Amino acid sequence: MTRQQPAFSRSLSLLDLIMLGFGAVFGSGWLFAASHVAAIAGPASILSWLAGGIAVLLLGLVYCELAAALPEAGGMIRYPAYAHGPLLGGLLGFITVIAYSSLISIEIIAARQYAGSWFPALTANKAGDATLLGWMAQFVVLLGMLRLNISGVKTFALFNNIITVFKFIVPVLVTVMLLLHLRAANFTTWGFAPFGQQSIEAAVSVGGIIFAYLGLTPIIAVASEVDNPQRTIPIALTLSVLLATLVYILLQVAFIGSVPTDLLAARGWSGIDRVLPLPFHDIALVLGLGWLGSAVVIDAVISPTGTGNIYMGSTARIIYAWSRSGTFLPWFAHLDSRHHVPRRATFLTFGLCVFWMLPFPSWEALIGVVSSALIMSYAFAPVAAAALRRSAPDLHRPFRVSCMRVLGPVSFMIASLIVFWSGWHTLSWLLSVQLAFGLVYLGVQGFRDMAAMRENLRSSAWVLVYFMGMLVLSATGSLGGYDIVPRPFDDMAVALFAAVIFVWGERTAHRDMKLPSTPTDAGVVEDIRAIIANEPTVST
């Protein structure tokens, strides 16, 4: 008889989950992205926010079906692993941990950059790079987040709910005050889309819009700790995205309309992010609203820190799920016996966050890479959902997405386009690293178990071909590539390629699919008994 770890505690309510989703969405994105995307797309950046919201909502609906059927810790890793085997689970574990751990660092960096408006000694230059004192301040904040995340999920949720209320009040206040200074001419005088359609697409991917929206996965990451997940998760996911989309669009309209004309006279919207690097703080001061600028600075320290804290908990649960899938070190698949949290994975997350902050980067320096990695971690969910529909038709699905035959491929195509819009400079190494990881994994597995390697290759070859194809399309496309395929034909080629890959992935599910028999964490029936008895389980 061997003693097994305790189960996750199912103690998060619908309100907790909505607060978690909205709190994850509203971090540093709203504080920096407004001027950044305006400099890329001008007033048409409003359309970029709408497009980003639609894309994330489509992906969110797919996750609703998966999370309601299989409410598990770190579900975004486990769903693809169930559908297509450990190779895809390992690949997603790798890229998601990179994305999430670096995202935590971005949020802390954002808080420090805004705090630099009051404490200049924290920031070294106009680019927002940290001084040694600024880096030490970031480190201390990370330590506080580490302490909070190893204290139990209820303590974590209470802290997040308090922070999220404040995070909602300040953006609404900013929107109302800036709309009172609206200049309608700002939307047309320098052109609504002065930099063309390409700029609208680029703003979605590298302008920080997708980064700002992607707050869905913290909800999925804690799915095994949610009360009545089959009902709670779909409601929380949908409301979080819809509410965030509305607030983001209103904020962008308020920013575009309230920029003083004299700041646009020389160069129009080009370079407005350098004129107003801390957009809502700076424009409040320009308009003589000093008290509003102070409120923004306070929120700018609190909001990103709260979001970073959410993602520290989510990253730890992803590492836990990655370990449970068998493609990462099993030592991290352990829950603390007192607080029922993945303590070891949380400490690893802390170490990764410190690593990402070592070069002293600014928010803008990391945002493109992290956005691409984040959307890639989402992109394979539609393929997994479609494959499970074909291979596990009897799986109980409390929330079943209508028109999956259309929604599945369309959402995968949209996600692929957003990845493509990141540009060759980012994808050349991001996709290459992923491809190399997959090939090394297959090589090691082939050395240990040739039959298992062949089945993994059969069920996941489409992923490797997808990475190779996206590399070729990016290299030959117009977004930093060699412009062999001009616009809009490069976009059309990506969409067609993604559709073919989707059909391939849908039809090649893993033959040795091991789904949970009930909607529990990893299908371990002993976990249910542990929840009822509130004691550790025992297995043979």
Side-chain angles (χ1 to χ4, degrees), residues 105-469:
S105 300
I106 281 183
E107 298 295 347
I108 301 305
I109 289 166
R112 188 265 309 154
Q113 282 185 240
Y114 256 94
S117 64
W118 282 356
F119 305 101
L122 300 176
T123 303
N125 49 45
K126 291 184 177 180
D129 299 325
T131 61
L132 179 59
L133 178 63
W135 190 89
M136 292 175 64
Q138 295 172 179
F139 183 78
V140 170
V141 172
L142 274 178
L143 283 175
M145 291 164 52
L146 172 66
R147 182 68 184 87
L148 192 62
N149 273 275
I150 61 177
S151 298
V153 71
K154 285 302 293 181
T155 303
F156 167 87
L158 176 62
F159 174 83
N160 177 68
N161 290 351
I162 295 171
I163 294 297
T164 301
V165 170
F166 187 78
K167 290 167 71 171
F168 180 75
I169 291 173
V170 175
V172 170
L173 185 61
V174 167
T175 301
V176 171
M177 295 307 301
L178 293 189
L179 286 176
L180 294 177
H181 295 78
L182 191 72
R183 299 172 175 84
N186 284 7
F187 295 90
T188 56
T189 301
W190 290 271
F192 181 73
F195 311 113
Q197 176 188 346
Q198 181 174 337
S199 65
I200 300 174
E201 299 169 353
V204 174
S205 185
V206 299
I209 287 178
I210 281 298
F211 167 82
Y213 270 121
L214 292 183
L216 298 180
T217 41
I219 296 176
I220 307 301
V222 299
S224 63
E225 299 161 85
V226 176
D227 182 35
N228 192 11
Q230 288 76 20
R231 169 183 174 272
T232 303
I233 291 174
I235 295 174
L237 278 169
T238 305
L239 286 180
S240 295
V241 176
L242 292 177
L243 185 59
T245 302
L246 175 63
V247 175
Y248 277 137
I249 290 175
L250 288 175
L251 280 167
Q252 192 67 27
V253 170
F255 176 79
I256 294 291
S258 60
V259 175
T261 305
D262 58 324
L263 297 183
L264 301 171
R267 300 180 59 190
W269 294 104
S270 178
I272 194 65
D273 55 336
R274 291 189 291 274
V275 178
L276 301 170
L278 307 178
F280 293 110
H281 167 267
D282 294 345
I283 202 167
L285 296 184
V286 170
L287 296 174
L289 303 173
W291 63 271
L292 184 62
S294 298
V296 170
V297 172
I298 295 172
D299 183 78
V301 175
I302 293 175
S303 288
T305 303
T307 298
N309 184 60
I310 291 171
Y311 274 95
M312 179 170 281
S314 300
T315 307
R317 284 156 178 80
I318 289 168
I319 293 172
Y320 167 86
W322 190 10
S323 300
R324 290 290 295 268
S325 72
T327 55
F328 191 54
L329 301 175
W331 190 76
F332 291 102
H334 175 269
L335 296 181
D336 175 69
S337 59
R338 179 182 176 188
H339 296 296
H340 301 257
V341 295
R343 187 184 182 96
R344 295 173 181 175
T346 304
F347 276 100
L348 176 59
T349 301
F350 173 80
L352 290 170
C353 293
V354 173
F355 171 78
W356 284 111
M357 293 195 307
L358 285 180
F360 297 359
S362 65
W363 189 87
E364 291 81 1
L366 285 174
I367 194 64
V369 173
V370 175
S371 295
S372 301
L374 280 170
I375 194 64
M376 196 174 296
S377 70
Y378 277 70
F380 297 115
V383 187
L388 287 171
R389 283 272 187 104
R390 288 179 62 91
S391 301
D394 297 330
L395 177 66
H396 178 57
R397 294 174 172 87
F399 180 91
R400 189 177 182 90
V401 177
S402 301
C403 304
M404 178 62 83
R405 297 294 302 170
V406 175
L407 180 62
V410 168
S411 57
F412 183 64
M413 290 161 66
I414 291 174
S416 298
L417 283 168
I418 294 173
V419 170
F420 176 71
W421 295 338
S422 301
W424 172 245
H425 176 73
T426 297
L427 296 183
S428 58
W429 69 267
L430 186 62
L431 290 174
S432 296
V433 169
Q434 282 284 83
L435 184 60
F437 180 92
L439 293 174
V440 169
Y441 178 89
L442 286 174
V444 172
Q445 188 179 48
F447 180 77
R448 294 177 176 177
D449 188 340
M450 181 60 69
M453 187 276 286
R454 287 173 178 167
E455 175 57 20
N456 267 328
L457 183 60
R458 185 201 67 80
S459 62
S460 299
W462 62 272
V463 182
L464 303 180
V465 173
Y466 176 75
F467 289 149
M468 289 186 286

